[in-house]
Amino acid sequence: MLKQVRNCILLLSAIGAFASCKNGSIFKKKPEKSTATGWNYNDKNQGGYFVAKPKDIKTGPGLVFVQGGTFTMGATQEDVMGDWNNVPRRVTVNSFFIDKTEVANVHYREYIHWIENVFQDNQAVIDGAKPDTLVWRSELAYNEPYVEYYFRHPSYNYYPVVGVTWRQAHDFCIWRTDRVNEISLINAGYQNKNVLKTELNGGGQDNFNTKSYLMGAYEGVPGKPKNNPLKDAQGRPRTTVTMSDGILFPDYRLPTEAEWEYAALGYVGENPEPRRSEKKRGEELIANKQLYAWQNDGFDNLRSTRHGAWQGAFLANFKRGAGDYMGTAGGLNDRSAIPSEVTSFFPNSYGLYNMSGNVNEWVADVYRPTTNQDEDDLNPFRGNVFTKVDKSGGEDPENWRDSLGRIKEIPEADSTLTHRRNYQRSYAIDYLDGDSLSRASYGYGITTLISDKSRVYKGGSWNDMPYWLSPGSRRYLQEDQSSSTIGFRCAMTHYGAPEGTSFKHNKTGNFFPSRRQKR
């Protein structure tokens, strides 16, 4: 018995010693030093410069990671329309995120619900956010049930929202960014959940906006996070989050045309040897140029060719021919006379649904027929207007917000850009296209139907023939107009290594063993 007591005492002493050492200098982790100055990071005694650990950003709600790369953007089949607006050209897009599905009615009604509660005293804001359900109306068709119920009835909850202008889709992306970041701060304890009660009870201008929060124009109700790792220069816990803390998500936005087309093609599935580890390098090879969003598998690319119950089934929702929207009773081909659920039909290699068919989708770009010839070959995009914060109301950040709670922005003055080498004008929509630098004049918006408000849409719809289902096909509509055949999905920029979170060694560039090269 005495021996057992002695052993217990020795064990408890060892545990106490271990705990003492763990809290002492033996197990204390040395602070990271700056390789530029030698000062410690995250050390209140040496400046208190807080540096978050490098990490890949989390995948936001509803998104899928798309590993970037090079591809031939443009036509994949004969230009039967004679537009010649999608000339093939080799470009590269960096890695990004994109929605797995089109934005559905239920998602957009969630947005309207928020607008109606936060801006309950501003009917103009509410009306400006609602989709135009009259896009279903036709003089020579009985479509009134869709006018009344397609957007509102629960039977259509997960059908893609239509009747939304490019501008409304753009605003939805801003709203989605704010809601995702707001709930992230609340869940982490940096904002008090009671802020939602005030916001949804007619909060109006005083609602959470990510950029307003980061610029100090919105404080909300700070929370009290447990085990708060964030510190100020004096080593005291702080509750105000910055982008460098790695907690907030980047902006949801409309995908660029290049991103959308690249994601639709799903080239990761066309690479026979994808890179899976540091020791096994993938082949730099694209095996095939796909005609539609799914992999080519047999001669008839519009239907499943695999043996089994689904052989011959249509892989997308489209119009097979004049008057044929879904086939014959008892043998319906795509089972959809109008748009179908956003998770219906066959996903592509990235797991993205309905990149061909169902509804066309807005992308961020301004339309020009010569786009592929003019743009950069890395992350090509036409539509930039470079802005700065409008501080005409004074230096108080609270005066920088507009009536919606967003930061007011104005174009940069061209006079301040004359000494820059990378850009000399803030309005770049018509750059090298009808301006003095290009020495060309097209009269867009004057002599043609194309203007600086013409936005690209892609993908084909339930009311389109197969030609428009090809990812390289492109059309345009004014940004303030809508259609029963156009919806949208959101995207998000990916920060960090291009191979993303799924790759074990998440690095940018190739890292070789540390040894000197032979002379």
Side-chain angles (χ1 to χ4, degrees):
M1 183 67 179
L2 183 62
K3 185 177 180 180
Q4 291 176 343
V5 171
R6 187 180 301 163
N7 289 339
C8 288
I9 293 173
L10 290 173
L11 178 61
L12 292 172
S13 300
I15 293 174
F18 177 79
S20 175
C21 292
K22 187 175 182 180
N23 294 325
S25 60
I26 295 178
F27 287 90
K28 188 174 182 180
K29 185 177 179 180
K30 292 183 178 179
E32 182 183 356
K33 285 183 177 292
S34 166
T35 56
T37 64
W39 283 44
N40 292 340
Y41 293 154
N42 308 327
D43 186 344
K44 65 179 181 180
N45 297 317
Q46 292 196 19
Y49 178 45
F50 180 84
V51 178
K53 293 181 180 179
K55 57 184 178 181
D56 198 65
I57 65 174
K58 297 178 292 183
T59 303
L63 299 176
V64 171
F65 174 74
V66 174
Q67 185 179 125
T70 184
F71 79 111
T72 302
M73 183 178 178
T76 57
Q77 57 180 315
E78 185 179 353
D79 186 14
V80 297
M81 302 302 295
D83 287 337
W84 203 240
N85 65 358
N86 55 350
V87 181
R89 181 182 179 222
R90 192 174 179 86
V91 300
T92 292
V93 294
N94 209 343
S95 300
F96 60 97
F97 299 99
I98 194 168
D99 271 337
K100 185 176 184 178
T101 69
E102 297 141 337
V103 172
N105 285 322
V106 69
H107 304 136
Y108 204 85
R109 290 206 307 265
E110 181 183 357
Y111 169 50
I112 297 299
H113 168 80
W114 185 89
I115 291 285
E116 289 176 336
N117 281 275
V118 174
F119 296 100
Q120 54 189 249
D121 296 327
N122 194 331
Q123 193 60 42
V125 173
I126 297 172
D127 293 340
K130 290 180 178 179
D132 180 12
T133 61
L134 294 179
V135 293
W136 287 106
R137 184 166 287 174
S138 174
E139 294 96 330
L140 297 175
Y142 180 61
N143 290 338
E144 291 308 296
Y146 304 139
V147 173
E148 294 294 329
Y149 301 117
Y150 178 82
F151 178 63
R152 301 176 179 88
H153 198 279
S155 296
Y156 295 117
N157 275 352
Y158 289 95
Y159 286 54
V161 65
V162 296
V164 174
T165 67
W166 184 94
R167 179 57 58 186
Q168 288 174 318
H170 172 78
D171 288 345
F172 176 91
C173 292
I174 297 174
W175 168 83
R176 187 174 175 185
T177 302
D178 296 340
R179 302 291 70 74
V180 168
N181 280 329
E182 184 176 33
I183 200 64
S184 296
L185 292 175
I186 290 173
N187 290 339
Y190 293 103
Q191 279 282 300
N192 192 299
K193 63 182 180 181
N194 291 330
V195 71
L196 296 177
K197 295 181 180 179
T198 302
E199 185 174 271
L200 291 171
N201 191 29
Q205 180 189 36
D206 194 26
N207 67 83
F208 177 89
N209 171 260
T210 302
K211 191 167 185 177
S212 295
Y213 175 82
L214 290 172
M215 297 191 69
Y218 173 91
E219 183 181 14
V221 183
K224 296 180 179 180
K226 297 179 181 179
N227 303 318
N228 186 1
L230 307 184
K231 302 291 188 294
D232 63 13
Q234 286 71 42
R236 297 170 300 194
R238 59 181 169 86
T239 57
T240 301
V241 174
T242 66
M243 186 56 76
S244 61
D245 295 326
I247 295 173
L248 295 172
F249 286 90
D251 293 341
Y252 282 84
R253 55 177 174 78
L254 290 174
T256 67
E257 182 177 2
E259 288 174 335
W260 190 99
E261 189 170 329
Y262 180 85
L265 290 167
Y267 277 139
V268 70
E270 290 292 323
N271 189 330
E273 291 280 345
R275 183 172 187 161
R276 302 190 185 283
S277 70
E278 197 71 48
K279 295 182 179 179
K280 186 175 181 181
R281 184 181 181 276
E283 292 293 330
E284 190 177 346
L285 173 66
I286 294 175
N288 216 340
K289 180 64 173 175
Q290 293 178 195
L291 193 60
Y292 302 112
W294 48 87
Q295 292 184 31
N296 297 331
D297 186 16
F299 179 76
D300 187 356
N301 292 293
L302 292 170
R303 291 183 283 190
S304 175
T305 58
R306 295 182 181 275
H307 292 293
W310 289 106
Q311 186 174 13
F314 274 35
L315 296 174
N317 181 11
F318 66 101
K319 182 179 179 180
R320 185 165 64 170
D324 185 0
Y325 289 84
M326 61 178 178
T328 305
L332 300 182
N333 48 43
D334 66 22
R335 294 177 171 176
S336 301
I338 60 171
S340 59
E341 292 192 32
V342 295
T343 53
S344 60
F345 295 99
F346 199 70
N348 73 356
S349 299
Y350 287 119
L352 307 177
Y353 287 86
N354 292 301
M355 297 298 280
S356 290
N358 212 29
V359 290
N360 290 287
E361 298 176 17
W362 289 115
V363 296
D365 295 57
V366 168
Y367 176 84
R368 290 291 189 273
T370 58
T371 291
N372 289 6
Q373 304 167 49
D374 298 331
E375 292 177 322
D376 289 355
D377 58 0
L378 173 63
N379 299 324
F381 170 69
R382 179 181 288 282
N384 283 314
V385 178
F386 305 114
T387 62
K388 64 179 181 179
V389 177
D390 181 5
K391 297 183 180 180
S392 58
E395 292 300 319
D396 186 350
E398 291 188 1
N399 295 328
W400 302 346
R401 305 178 79 189
D402 63 17
S403 60
L404 299 179
R406 303 171 185 173
I407 294 294
K408 292 182 286 188
E409 298 183 52
I410 55 175
E412 292 180 315
D414 289 348
S415 59
T416 65
L417 307 176
T418 54
H419 298 294
R420 296 200 63 89
R421 298 185 63 184
N422 53 329
Y423 72 107
Q424 284 81 39
R425 53 187 298 182
S426 61
Y427 190 83
I429 288 178
D430 61 358
Y431 180 64
L432 294 184
D433 185 65
D435 58 13
S436 58
L437 289 176
S438 66
R439 296 183 179 180
S441 178
Y442 299 103
Y444 288 137
I446 301 174
T447 61
T448 76
L449 297 177
I450 305 168
S451 73
D452 289 354
K453 292 185 178 181
S454 301
R455 299 286 177 169
V456 178
Y457 66 88
K458 297 174 73 72
S461 77
W462 58 274
N463 196 30
D464 284 320
M465 302 292 269
Y467 172 81
W468 297 110
L469 274 61
S470 177
S473 299
R474 56 200 303 261
R475 286 176 285 183
Y476 67 93
L477 188 69
Q478 299 305 95
E479 65 180 34
D480 56 357
Q481 297 179 355
S482 59
S483 167
S484 63
T485 64
I486 302 179
F488 70 101
R489 74 180 73 212
C490 304
M492 178 186 287
T493 302
H494 175 266
Y495 300 150
E499 286 173 314
T501 55
S502 60
F503 187 59
K504 184 177 180 181
H505 301 284
N506 189 15
K507 299 176 181 177
T508 300
N510 294 326
F511 290 79
F512 297 93
S514 300
R515 60 188 180 200
R516 295 184 180 181
Q517 296 187 26
K518 295 180 180 180
R519 294 184 177 180

